[in-house]
Amino acid sequence: MEIHHKLEKRGGKVLPYTYFIGLAAFWFFGDLIAIQRFSFIALGIMVTLAIQVLWQNKVAGTCLGLFASAVSFVAFLATLSEFNDFEVVTQSAIHLIVVGSVLSLCGLAMGLVLTVTNIRKLSI
């Protein structure tokens, strides 16, 4: 009950963490179900983000936001690069560019929100 009250009080500050925890959970369960491999990295990311949601450390939040923004930007560039490797634009190529761009640009936006929110907290 106390955790729910803390999360309710924070409101929109939890959305970026929820997005990244969801991506890590997708990665974790995708590996677990599809290839029967336990991904310790995905589990570690989920646990780290969950701890950050509860404690809301300003410095760690800023670092996580910067790191997420950088990784998402590189993922967007990788998606564009992979799309350019297709010789013929097929339905799967279009699917790759749409899904990859949406996921990476949403990650970039969420990382920037984390960064800006935590920098504002640091400056106050």
Side-chain angles (χ1 to χ4, degrees), residues 91-105:
Q91 191 67 21
S92 63
I94 294 170
H95 188 258
L96 169 84
I97 193 74
V98 169
V99 172
S101 295
V102 167
L103 285 175
S104 59
L105 292 176

Side-chain angles (χ1 to χ4, degrees), residues 47-113:
V47 170
T48 303
L49 290 170
I51 290 170
Q52 176 60 21
V53 167
L54 295 176
W55 284 338
Q56 292 286 317
N57 186 306
K58 299 169 197 165
V59 175
T62 303
C63 291
L64 280 171
L66 289 171
F67 181 73
S69 298
V71 168
S72 296
F73 182 69
V74 169
F76 178 68
L77 294 177
T79 302
L80 292 178
S81 173
E82 189 69 27
F83 181 74
N84 288 334
D85 288 344
F86 280 92
E87 292 177 12
V88 178
V89 178
T90 62
Q91 191 67 21
S92 63
I94 294 170
H95 188 258
L96 169 84
I97 193 74
V98 169
V99 172
S101 295
V102 167
L103 285 175
S104 59
L105 292 176
C106 283
L108 180 63
M110 294 296 172
L112 291 174
V113 167

Side-chain angles (χ1 to χ4, degrees), residues 58 119-124:
K58 299 169 197 165
I119 286 177
R120 285 183 182 166
K121 286 182 197 176
L122 284 172
S123 64
I124 293 177

